[in-house]
Amino acid sequence: YRLVQTGESRIEGPRELALYPAVEGSQAVWQVAMTAPLEKGEYISRWQARAPDGTLFGDEVYVLIVVNPAPLTPTAIPTAPRP
């Protein structure tokens, strides 16, 4: 059994990962390293479980990453007083 990304996404990361051990009716926790674009916006990655025969099943899950970078503000560089 695999957890596979469905559809297109601008979020970088694996397209699928193993659901091991997969036990019907049980809960699972998984970790996926993802990287969102640096541009301001909302980015979504949708996932669904896939059986060994390729059939997608269960509820779709998703990750929504909101990128709202803080504006850059100039910082004065202190200078040493001249003698």
Side-chain angles (χ1 to χ4, degrees), residues 10 37-43 67-69:
R10 290 195 52 208
L38 296 176
E39 296 87 27
K40 182 177 181 176
E42 293 184 354
Y43 303 95
V67 178
N68 191 11

Side-chain angles (χ1 to χ4, degrees), residues 11 16 33 49 78:
I11 298 173
E16 64 180 64

Side-chain angles (χ1 to χ4, degrees), residues 11-14 17 30-36 47 65:
I11 298 173
E12 294 180 16
L17 53 119
W30 64 92
Q31 295 178 350
V32 183
M34 298 179 175
T35 304
W47 298 76
I65 299 175

Side-chain angles (χ1 to χ4, degrees), residues 11-57:
I11 298 173
E12 294 180 16
R15 297 282 304 162
E16 64 180 64
L17 53 119
L19 287 177
Y20 179 82
V23 179
E24 183 179 355
S26 67
Q27 293 184 355
V29 175
W30 64 92
Q31 295 178 350
V32 183
M34 298 179 175
T35 304
L38 296 176
E39 296 87 27
K40 182 177 181 176
E42 293 184 354
Y43 303 95
I44 192 164
S45 178
R46 291 180 163 83
W47 298 76
Q48 196 166 8
R50 184 180 70 203
D53 68 2
T55 305
L56 296 175
F57 68 94

